[in-house]
Amino acid sequence: MLAVCGGLHFYIFPVVMAAMQEDLQVSLTAVTATIFVWGVAGAIVSPAMGAALDAWGPRRVVAAGTLLQAVSLAVVATSASILQVYAGFALAAVSLCANTYIAISAAVSALFEKQRGQAMGVAMLGLGVGGLVLPNVTQRLLQLGWQQVYWIYAGLALLMLPLIWWGLAAAGGPAGTSGSEEVGDDGDHGPAALLRTRSFWGLALGDGLTGLIFSFFTVHFVAIATESGITAATAALFFGVFLFLSSPGTLALGVLADRFSVWPLTMICYGLPVLLVPALFGLPELVFLGLFALVPGFLAGGRAAIFPLAIGYSFGAPHVARAYGWLNVAFLFGTAVGPMLSGVLHDRSGNYTSSIWVAWVLGVASVILVGLIRPERGWAVAER
């Protein structure tokens, strides 16, 4: 499910962006602002989606989110202006909060007490698969026109609905209950209590900075490489490796989480990529680009599996949906700001040097902040 729903906007947009810009006759700034609109809209609705998962359960929320995703794709497909594209992507952000990683994290936390890490890794594997497959499929479909591409994907989203309804049958009740026991919204575990914990702010600020850095490197990866003198074809090849390796990284870190403590694995996922950011100063030597593509790419997938487990470590599995909904606000804001910030820095300096230094400094800060997580007193028994 994540291989399809998780990438139907974010993974295909870079492929259709140039055609969309030319057809709508807008500037590059205007068309790339789509990601900013997407990130901000998602950040606004994310807490509500966490609460909805607690109240109605993953099955209903994911199905409704997928229906909305089909609508959002249709809105983009019929766009005659960039404002309508913005509207479609705003709806897409709402749908993705409902039918992707927050919901899947809640469902896995509810359904698995043993081997939860492996289950989380397998479930999140789809994000990496989508990153590998969807851009290539979209490139081939683009000869039909970018609006026709969005119509095709709208139909694909609708086809996913029966599979989603069947697949999440066991998690049909309120999140964290497997359909049998409702999670209460008492004062001890409500949003106010969540915001009073050290772990919440460590995860929110640390992961938010990571989102900023990751979106910067994802959007500008090819440009950083080609600016250093590497050919566009070689840069695209290494970028594909970077995206692909998130899949085995997701599975591997999920399996390791069943055997080792969540805290050190979290520090590895966030810390090692930061240590390798300065490797980009070694370009155009391909060994440095390869090192950056291999390790951060692998551990970016690991982060997808580890982050919900880190939430369970701090707050307990029954509270993953609600906590993830609030924590996702920071990540989406970071994702929205990262590419734009690096664009401003590049315009002022004429190169990516200052952007890479800023990414490294913010990365160090993110590791320190994420390291603050702990099993919070008064919450459910946490995962060790």
Side-chain angles (χ1 to χ4, degrees):
M1 188 187 81
L2 283 181
V4 176
C5 296
L8 282 184
H9 281 282
F10 195 73
Y11 288 153
I12 67 177
F13 175 70
V15 180
V16 306
M17 184 174 67
M20 183 185 293
Q21 179 187 358
E22 181 180 358
D23 191 42
L24 297 179
Q25 294 293 296
V26 295
S27 67
L28 182 60
T29 299
V31 75
T32 53
T34 302
I35 299 299
F36 181 80
V37 172
W38 178 85
V40 171
I44 292 171
V45 303
S46 186
M49 289 303 162
L53 285 161
D54 274 350
W56 301 317
R59 192 186 196 193
R60 295 184 181 90
V61 174
V62 172
T66 304
L67 181 61
L68 179 61
Q69 187 171 40
V71 172
S72 72
L73 289 158
V75 170
V76 177
T78 58
S79 294
S81 70
I82 193 63
L83 292 179
Q84 189 172 338
V85 174
Y86 293 162
F89 269 76
L91 291 175
V94 178
S95 71
L96 287 173
C97 287
N99 74 343
T100 56
Y101 40 88
I102 300 177
I104 297 305
S105 297
V108 171
S109 296
L111 294 173
F112 293 87
E113 293 183 7
K114 296 180 179 180
Q115 295 184 314
R116 184 174 290 152
Q118 181 176 334
M120 195 71 73
V122 172
M124 295 296 179
L125 192 63
L127 289 173
V129 174
L132 176 66
V133 174
L134 285 176
N136 292 292
V137 172
T138 302
Q139 185 64 53
R140 288 167 172 77
L141 292 175
L142 192 56
Q143 60 184 331
L144 302 174
W146 67 270
Q147 290 176 310
Q148 285 67 33
V149 169
Y150 278 97
W151 276 121
I152 291 170
Y153 284 136
L156 181 60
L158 289 176
L159 289 175
M160 292 295 296
L161 278 170
L163 178 61
I164 288 168
W165 195 254
W166 170 77
L168 292 176
T177 66
S178 300
S180 61
E181 178 186 354
E182 187 171 355
V183 175
D185 192 17
D186 56 88
D188 291 334
H189 297 118
L194 190 69
L195 268 62
R196 288 195 297 267
T197 63
R198 187 181 84 179
S199 294
F200 175 85
W201 291 106
L203 285 171
L205 297 177
D207 197 58
L209 290 176
T210 297
L212 186 154
I213 298 163
F214 181 75
S215 65
F216 156 51
F217 283 122
T218 300
V219 173
H220 295 276
F221 186 102
V222 174
I224 292 171
T226 55
E227 187 178 90
S228 72
I230 295 172
T231 66
T234 301
L237 175 63
F238 277 87
F239 183 53
V241 171
F242 176 78
L243 292 177
F244 169 74
L245 284 175
S246 66
S247 292
T250 301
L251 183 58
L253 268 295
V255 171
L256 288 174
D258 289 329
R259 293 163 172 78
F260 302 98
S261 175
V262 170
W263 189 89
L265 292 176
T266 303
M267 299 308 294
I268 289 171
C269 282
Y270 284 85
L272 277 184
V274 172
L275 289 176
L276 290 173
V277 167
L280 294 174
F281 292 122
L283 301 180
E285 295 295 330
L286 290 181
V287 65
F288 292 109
L289 185 62
L291 186 63
F292 186 79
L294 289 172
V295 179
F298 184 85
L299 291 176
R303 178 262 171 205
I306 288 295
F307 188 70
L309 297 174
I311 298 173
Y313 169 82
S314 296
F315 304 108
H319 305 291
V320 166
R322 181 180 304 149
Y324 206 154
W326 284 94
L327 289 166
N328 198 43
V329 173
F331 182 80
L332 288 173
F333 269 122
T335 300
V337 170
M340 295 182 63
L341 175 61
S342 60
V344 170
L345 292 173
H346 187 279
D347 288 341
R348 291 185 176 182
S349 64
N351 55 59
Y352 280 105
T353 300
S354 59
S355 296
I356 295 171
W357 276 117
V358 168
W360 184 77
V361 172
L362 294 179
V364 171
S366 73
V367 175
I368 294 171
L369 288 164
V370 171
L372 296 175
I373 65 171
R374 63 185 180 186
E376 294 292 342
R377 180 180 298 179
W379 294 75
V381 177
E383 303 167 21
R384 296 300 189 269

